[in-house]
Amino acid sequence: MHRDALNFPQLMISLLRGTIDRDPSDNPSDWPWTVLTGEVWEKHGALIEKWGKQMPSFIAERPPRNPAEKMTSGYKACEYQAWFYILAPGFLYPLLPTPYLENYCKFVYGTDIVHSSSIPHDELAEAHQMLLEAVLEFEVFYYDRKLSRLNFICQCVHAHVHMVPEILHVGWPPGVSQWTMERTIGNLEEEIRQHSRPYANLGVRTLIRSQTITLTSMISDLDPAVSRNPRGSVDIGDGFLVLRAREGQALAVSELHASAILAFANKNGIDLSDEVSIERWAGLRLPNGHRIRTRWKEEQFAEDKMPRRYIQVSFSIFRSS
């Protein structure tokens, strides 16, 4: 948690801003990677806040605030994650020179793989190779074998070398990081019911939780999966659910929309009348559990209510030299 979501992002941002501790003779204006300065930094912070509000909640449960204004005011690890690993690579694309951008993206790519919910062996090997290359390039590009820049090589940089081997040794990073510990502490605190003796009560609840987890791990049938659909949702098959709110009545659509709907129905063997009317719903839940929200309902929210209208896409941003 601290290595990937706090220490390394803070190190990289201090380098990109030219604010890292340095020798007085080493002028940041001479560094080719110092691109987040002055008005560029202010604009970058505003973009992070603007587009962070549009990120789906399954990607960033807490959208990042403007780092130019809030980075020194309790900026959270989850905010650094959304900023540094999701939004920043795209916004740095036109700013960073190609070698530095590619090095940055190797760190992001490798870290993204090792934090995935499932990691195939071939991707794990690819992540290891990518992180090894990134660490070596970091030393060449930033440290440049200069003693005056020795403080640039923090422990969080070298730790990337051991990231994949440690997965094979101790397990999946999100499962052994402080995220899991803090969530468990929070869950156990919620179970305290005897406030006159809270620590004794907490000890008993922890023991019961450990016994339950042990039994369900040994006998999986003791913990059957329970599917709970949201209230008012309708199962339309194949794992899809339409979600409230709903319009309440079916309304006629425009001639152009009706033609498109009828063409789709005829192509798929669906019998519809020539007069097409539809009822709008607020969202759709996909088979993987992700939710898509419709423009109809989201546009009713004020700008500061953080409507989440976008979905995640993947594409290569490496540029040819």
Side-chain angles (χ1 to χ4, degrees):
M1 170 183 174
H2 289 91
R3 176 195 62 200
D4 299 332
L6 288 174
N7 302 140
F8 185 66
Q10 289 173 346
L11 171 65
M12 284 298 299
I13 296 303
S14 67
L15 286 168
L16 298 179
R17 294 186 61 204
T19 58
I20 192 171
D21 292 339
R22 62 193 182 277
D23 187 271
S25 62
D26 198 2
N27 193 338
S29 61
D30 298 330
W31 300 346
W33 65 80
T34 308
V35 295
L36 295 180
T37 58
E39 293 183 359
V40 177
W41 170 238
E42 300 293 333
K43 183 178 179 180
H44 178 81
L47 287 172
I48 295 299
E49 182 174 37
K50 175 184 177 181
W51 291 105
K53 292 179 179 179
Q54 311 296 339
M55 295 172 65
S57 56
F58 64 84
I59 295 179
E61 187 173 345
R62 177 169 182 168
R65 294 168 291 170
N66 185 337
E69 298 175 351
K70 302 294 184 179
M71 193 171 66
T72 58
S73 303
Y75 214 72
K76 303 296 184 182
C78 56
E79 294 180 276
Y80 272 111
Q81 278 191 314
W83 167 26
F84 187 80
Y85 293 103
I86 300 176
L87 295 172
F91 292 130
L92 292 175
Y93 177 79
L95 302 176
L96 271 177
T98 298
Y100 298 91
L101 178 68
E102 291 184 353
N103 175 253
Y104 177 87
C105 290
K106 286 179 181 180
F107 278 113
V108 172
Y109 181 69
T111 304
D112 179 64
I113 290 178
V114 300
H115 282 269
S116 300
S117 56
S118 61
I119 314 173
H121 285 288
D122 58 335
E123 291 189 8
L124 201 59
E126 184 179 5
H128 187 49
Q129 180 62 34
M130 197 68 66
L131 292 172
L132 290 177
E133 294 178 6
V135 171
L136 178 60
E137 292 172 355
F138 184 95
E139 294 185 6
V140 173
F141 294 158
Y142 298 98
Y143 167 47
D144 197 23
R145 304 299 195 271
K146 294 181 179 179
L147 184 61
S148 60
R149 296 181 180 177
L150 188 60
N151 63 302
F152 290 12
I153 306 298
C154 298
Q155 184 180 4
C156 60
V157 177
H158 178 72
H160 289 85
V161 174
H162 303 283
M163 190 181 293
V164 172
E166 283 300 301
I167 291 176
L168 302 175
H169 179 61
V170 300
W172 177 55
V176 297
S177 68
Q178 194 167 337
W179 298 106
T180 309
M181 184 189 306
E182 291 182 354
R183 174 57 61 90
T184 300
I185 292 172
N187 289 342
L188 290 171
E189 288 179 348
E190 294 173 351
E191 296 181 12
I192 295 177
R193 294 292 181 269
Q194 193 175 8
H195 296 284
S196 60
R197 301 175 61 194
Y199 294 106
N201 189 198
L202 180 61
V204 173
R205 298 306 307 174
T206 303
L207 176 62
I208 294 174
R209 173 72 69 86
S210 301
Q211 292 171 337
T212 303
I213 292 174
T214 301
L215 286 173
T216 53
S217 298
M218 297 171 62
I219 310 173
S220 58
D221 292 341
L222 294 177
D223 186 27
V226 178
S227 175
R228 295 184 178 88
N229 294 335
R231 181 182 178 185
S233 63
V234 176
D235 190 341
I236 58 176
D238 296 329
F240 291 91
L241 273 75
V242 286
L243 308 173
R244 294 179 65 120
R246 54 187 297 186
E247 202 162 21
Q249 59 180 331
L251 301 176
V253 300
S254 67
E255 184 176 345
L256 183 62
H257 289 163
S259 298
I261 293 172
L262 289 171
F264 174 83
N266 292 333
K267 182 179 179 180
N268 291 274
I270 303 173
D271 186 20
L272 290 179
S273 62
D274 293 336
E275 296 183 2
V276 178
S277 59
I278 62 173
E279 179 184 5
R280 291 184 287 193
W281 289 67
L284 175 72
R285 193 178 77 179
L286 305 180
N288 61 6
H290 295 169
R291 298 188 179 192
I292 297 176
R293 295 167 174 82
T294 61
R295 178 180 178 183
W296 162 65
K297 198 63 181 177
E298 291 295 298
E299 284 191 335
Q300 298 178 18
F301 290 97
E303 185 70 23
D304 60 350
K305 295 298 183 181
M306 297 185 297
R308 310 290 186 87
R309 302 178 186 144
Y310 297 88
I311 60 175
Q312 185 180 23
V313 297
S314 299
F315 57 92
S316 172
I317 65 171
F318 284 175
R319 299 178 293 191
S320 59
S321 299

